[in-house]
């Protein structure tokens, strides 16, 4: 436990030094703001780019605030997750390459504490970024399209957070098992796409599938998701996260010989 | 909504973009050995919106 907090401090320092603590939230806030803004100004944007012929009539229905928040989730699911994967792909693999790992591995190191400290710090930064992004997006949606109850948005954010935690665990395991950070990003991204694809193709009745968590989050906006499905999916996600912890610490220990000096 | 509130709403976007760009540029100038030529990263950071600074932070800094 003592080692965990010590390593956590090291992670925190590292995240400050490479500015991740600043730029990841900035990106998410930008993503959250841009979606409602571009939608609001869509007629002017089309007009100024001059794409329409004379006399064309274009009816753009004003999206409801709920649809706008769904669009923000969509952005986070694609660009947001890609940014997180790029930012944290090297957490373990890159450390082995840069030589920082050598300084750590020569000491009596608990690999469980090592892996957990990395996951905790990466998750804290990603969660805070995602929340700030949602809140910024929510404020702009409120400004341009109308109100959604705050409590619904908070419920949506809470549900989505479980998904982010799951993705971070997946990413760190990928980083622990791969030889370099590019490989880690490839593994994490293909697994992420695979989860979404299988869930989309075959998962109609898989109410417990963790891939449905973002969707359950959105259902909070228009009512309430099926509660047994929601808690089942969250339960399975938590179990998978624990399993990923085990795999990750094991793989980090196993690959410690790959460190470059 | 009147014109001024609309323009006020756009200000944060510009501020965040500028902040990211300046942050990346300052770090680039201080960085003794970026991953690739400095002038190339300078162009990427200034020209490519949003994505340029991210690319620099992710692959341009050698220690990572």
């Amino acid at each position: 436990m003592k080692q965990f907090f010590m390593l956590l401090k090291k992670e925190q320092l590292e995240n400050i030094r490479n500015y991740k603590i600043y730029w990841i939230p900035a990106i998410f806030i930008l993503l959250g703001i841009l979606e409602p803004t571009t939608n609001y100004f869509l007629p002017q944007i089309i007009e100024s780019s001059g794409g329409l012929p004379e006399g064309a009539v274009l009816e753009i229905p004003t999206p409801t605030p709920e649809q706008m928040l769904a669009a923000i989730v969509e952005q986070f699911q694609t660009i947001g997750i890609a940014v997180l994967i790029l930012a944290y792909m090297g957490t373990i693999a890159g450390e082995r390459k840069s030589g920082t790992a050598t300084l750590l591995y020569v000491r009596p190191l608990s690999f469980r504490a090592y892996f957990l400290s990395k996951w905790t710090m990466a998750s804290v930064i990603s969660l805070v970024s995602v929340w700030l992004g949602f809140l910024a997006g929510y404020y702009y949606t409120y400004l341009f399209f109308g109100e959604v109850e705050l409590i619904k948005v908070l419920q949506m954010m809470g549900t989505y957070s479980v998904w982010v935690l799951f993705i971070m665990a997946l990413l760190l395991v990928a980083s622990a098992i791969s030889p370099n950070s590019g490989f880690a990003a490839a593994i994490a991204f293909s697994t992420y796409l695979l989860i979404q694809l299988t869930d989309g193709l075959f998962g109609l009745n898989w109410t417990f599938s963790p891939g449905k968590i973002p969707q359950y989050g959105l259902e909070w906006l228009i009512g309430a998701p099926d509660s047994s499905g929601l808690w089942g999916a969250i339960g399975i996600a938590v179990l998978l996260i624990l399993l990923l912890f085990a795999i990750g610490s094991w793989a980090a220990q196993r690959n410690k010989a790959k460190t470059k000096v | 909504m009147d014109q001024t509130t609309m323009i006020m709403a756009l200000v944060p976007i510009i501020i965040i973009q500028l902040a990211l760009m300046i942050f990346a540029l300052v770090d680039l100038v201080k960085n003794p050995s970026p991953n690739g030529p400095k002038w190339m990263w300078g162009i990427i950071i200034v020209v490519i919106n949003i994505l340029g600074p991210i690319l620099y932070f992710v692959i341009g800094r050698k220690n990572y």
Side-chain angles (χ1 to χ4, degrees), chain A residues 8-62:
Chain A
L8 197 63
K9 220 170 205 174
K10 174 227 167 231
E11 285 305 313
Q12 189 192 6
L13 191 66
E14 189 175 352
N15 275 293
I16 294 173
R17 293 245 171 99
N18 58 25
Y19 305 126
K20 278 182 187 155
I21 210 163
Y22 309 112
W23 68 261
I24 297 178
I27 297 293
F28 274 86
I29 292 173
L30 212 55
L31 279 180
I33 293 179
L34 274 178
E35 192 62 27
T37 317
T38 42
N39 265 282
Y40 184 76
F41 290 108
L42 199 57
Q44 282 95 318
I45 292 171
I46 292 175
E47 203 171 298
S48 71
S49 63
L52 285 181
E54 197 69 33
V57 179
L58 188 64
E59 289 272 337
I60 303 168
T62 316

Side-chain angles (χ1 to χ4, degrees), chain A residues 6 119 138 157 199 238 247:
Chain A
M6 198 187 66
W119 177 79
Y138 169 66
M157 279 161 58
D199 190 74
V238 170
I247 300 175

Side-chain angles (χ1 to χ4, degrees), chain A residues 3 29 33 36 47 94 123 125 136 159 164 177 197 199 209 222 238 261:
Chain A
Q3 213 174 36
I29 292 173
I33 293 179
E47 203 171 298
S123 299
I125 293 182
T159 314
V164 175
I177 59 180
L197 199 68
D199 190 74
S209 153
I222 45 169
V238 170
V261 183

Side-chain angles (χ1 to χ4, degrees), chain A residues 14 17-20 22-23 26-27 29-30 33-34 37 40-41 44 83 86-91 98 140 143-144, chain B residues 1 5-6 8-14 16-17 20 23 27 30 50-51 53-55 57-59 61-64:
Chain A
E14 189 175 352
R17 293 245 171 99
N18 58 25
Y19 305 126
K20 278 182 187 155
Y22 309 112
W23 68 261
I27 297 293
I29 292 173
L30 212 55
I33 293 179
L34 274 178
T37 317
Y40 184 76
F41 290 108
Q44 282 95 318
V83 166
L86 279 179
Y88 286 108
M89 63 187 182
T91 328
S98 71
Y140 271 72
L143 223 58
F144 288 142
Chain B
M1 199 185 310
T5 30
M6 242 188 258
M8 287 303 283
L10 293 180
V11 169
I13 300 178
I14 298 163
I16 295 176
Q17 284 207 15
L20 269 177
F23 226 126
D27 188 69
K30 282 197 211 154
I50 312 175
L51 223 57
I54 307 181
L55 279 177
F57 281 126
V58 173
I59 42 181
R61 307 180 83 235
K62 218 172 209 166
N63 59 347
Y64 217 60

Side-chain angles (χ1 to χ4, degrees), chain A residues 2 5 22-23 37 82 99 111 128 135 162 182 197 216 255-256:
Chain A
K2 206 177 151 197
F5 284 112
Y22 309 112
W23 68 261
T37 317
F111 276 86
V128 169
L135 287 177
V162 180
L197 199 68
Y216 284 139
N255 284 343
K256 71 175 172 183

